[in-house]
Amino acid sequence: MEDGERTKISCGRFLLLLSQGVIMGIGAVLPGISGGVLCVIFGIYQPMMETLAHPKKGIKKYGYMVLPVVLGFLGGFVLLAGAIAKLASSEPAIVTSLFVGLIVGTLPQLFRDGAKQGRDKSCYIALAASTSLLLGFFMLLKYGTELHITPNAGWFFFCGALWGISMVAPGMTSSSVLMLLGLYYPMSEGIAALDMGVVIPFLLGIAITVIALARAVNALFNRYYGIAYHCIIGFVIASTVPIIPVSFRSTSELIWSIVAATAGCAAAYFISRIDGLKE
């Protein structure tokens, strides 16, 4: 490819890659439509993983893709984080119901993706074990212990670390875990306000986790794809059950929560089907 042709293609794709990065950033905020899943849908996951696992080689090969995607991701994440935080402060049950619907809507596609290389008994064992163990842990946190977390730099680093894992492992959502721990909204509000006490530890958590896990996760999926993917599905299920709203302030809030859950489920289902249509 000639230099002039490459420049023309790169400039022509810049806005497309930037917009895809924005959508991925939005997906990183919304549970169920993770940035990792959208990376797969847009055909960016393999270049991103190769770049993370082997930076020198990856940047040389895919550098023209990485910059607009990263810029768009950061923009989408910051903009939506603020909107979600404001809405959730006034209508927590409705927003949480929307989140639950988004998660449920992606499950069919996750199960299809998990079976791409076959599904045997070990996959079902992995699914059952990861679901039961993590669900037990989350329910213990919610009902069996007095857990009072005061958001600080260490916890915001933890938030970033969870987000880093969700970026490396497609389908894994971190938002529901952070909602369970009471960290999601303080983190979102801090990012929206560009509070460096939140942003810096959060970004450090993402960077360190991604760098540390990229090669290992890539190798794990290459060798044990079905088992690894079904563990992720189990994590998604287990982290969703404890955040399902069970009490409502009024009949109107109940109705709107059902509407939000249904809309979120439908939206996530149709978005996730894009990947299936591309195959």
Side-chain angles (χ1 to χ4, degrees), residues 65-249:
M65 295 177 62
V66 172
L67 177 61
V69 168
V70 169
L71 289 175
F73 178 91
L74 293 175
F77 184 91
V78 171
L79 290 175
L80 195 67
I84 291 295
K86 290 179 180 178
L87 181 60
S89 65
S90 59
E91 300 293 345
I94 296 174
V95 173
T96 302
S97 297
L98 174 64
F99 285 178
V100 171
L102 290 168
I103 296 168
V104 172
T106 60
L107 287 176
Q109 185 62 40
L110 290 180
F111 275 102
R112 282 189 290 268
D113 290 342
K116 282 182 179 179
Q117 297 184 14
R119 179 180 287 134
D120 56 21
K121 184 167 65 175
S122 63
C123 295
Y124 291 108
I125 293 173
L127 174 63
S130 62
T131 302
S132 58
L133 289 174
L134 286 167
L135 182 58
F137 173 71
F138 292 142
M139 297 305 285
L140 179 64
L141 286 179
K142 186 173 184 179
Y143 298 111
T145 62
E146 291 292 332
L147 185 65
H148 299 288
I149 291 177
T150 301
N152 55 34
W155 280 112
F156 292 132
F157 179 89
F158 172 78
C159 293
L162 276 184
W163 241 278
I165 294 172
S166 69
M167 291 172 64
V168 173
M172 190 170 186
T173 177
S174 56
S175 300
S176 51
V177 178
L178 297 180
M179 288 175 69
L180 177 62
L181 297 176
L183 292 169
Y184 180 81
Y185 298 123
M187 178 204 69
S188 299
E189 291 168 356
I191 292 173
L194 295 179
D195 181 349
M196 291 299 106
V198 177
V199 173
I200 292 176
F202 178 79
L203 293 179
L204 283 175
I206 291 179
I208 292 174
T209 302
V210 167
I211 292 170
L213 294 182
R215 292 193 182 189
V217 171
N218 199 29
L220 182 64
F221 271 84
N222 287 335
R223 188 168 182 179
Y224 303 107
Y225 178 87
I227 293 175
Y229 216 104
H230 282 76
C231 283
I232 287 177
I233 296 173
F235 185 95
V236 171
I237 295 171
S239 61
T240 302
V241 172
I243 68 169
I244 297 175
V246 294
S247 62
F248 303 90
R249 293 175 296 189

